[in-house]
Amino acid sequence: MTRSEFDDIRAYLTDEATHAGDLLRVARTLIDDLEHARMREAVLRTHYLRLLTAARATIAADIADAPDPLAFLKHELAERGQLPAAGEAVQRILSDARTAAALLACLEQNVATRPQGMRVRRCVGTGRR
């Protein structure tokens, strides 16, 4: 949900002309959205953990001089349909990886420069404590 959608919901909730039935409908919709988001998060966490496990197993297999150390990673990527196709340009894939690494580094830099101190509350209206 975008910031403006949250602002719209807040405005709708604080509007005195909004009826209780409308508030109940909004609450049900928000709970459904929250449940859907939690399920998506659980699926993404599972995919991430499986990929992380495969990557760690690949490194361990390489350290142990296993005959095919990439087998774990290949298997995980194949299950997700993410193995590079035979005709796919290797340079494009490597370029995508370099770009992703650069973007992550930029994000990590921006996180470190966030201001510390009291947060300004933008929420208007009643809320839980």
Side-chain angles (χ1 to χ4, degrees), residues 8 18 25 107 115:
D8 290 345
T18 305
R25 182 180 47 79
L107 284 173

Side-chain angles (χ1 to χ4, degrees), residues 82-85 87-100:
Q82 294 297 316
L83 273 177
E88 199 167 1
V90 172
Q91 291 305 318
R92 185 186 62 78
I93 294 170
L94 294 175
S95 175
D96 289 348
R98 283 190 292 273
T99 301

Side-chain angles (χ1 to χ4, degrees), residues 18-32:
T18 305
H19 299 289
D22 296 333
L23 294 174
L24 184 59
R25 182 180 47 79
V26 168
R28 286 183 178 145
T29 301
L30 290 174
I31 288 172
D32 288 345

Side-chain angles (χ1 to χ4, degrees), residues 28-98:
R28 286 183 178 145
T29 301
L30 290 174
I31 288 172
D32 288 345
D33 288 350
L34 180 61
E35 184 178 358
H36 181 60
R38 289 185 64 130
M39 289 301 294
R40 261 194 343 244
E41 179 189 9
V43 168
L44 288 173
R45 280 179 185 265
T46 301
H47 291 315
Y48 171 77
L49 288 174
R50 288 181 63 163
L51 186 58
L52 183 63
T53 302
R56 293 187 77 222
T58 296
I59 297 301
D62 185 48
I63 291 170
D65 291 324
D68 185 15
L70 292 176
F72 301 103
L73 202 49
K74 286 177 183 176
H75 174 75
E76 189 60 33
L77 291 175
E79 279 192 10
R80 306 277 163 254
Q82 294 297 316
L83 273 177
E88 199 167 1
V90 172
Q91 291 305 318
R92 185 186 62 78
I93 294 170
L94 294 175
S95 175
D96 289 348
R98 283 190 292 273

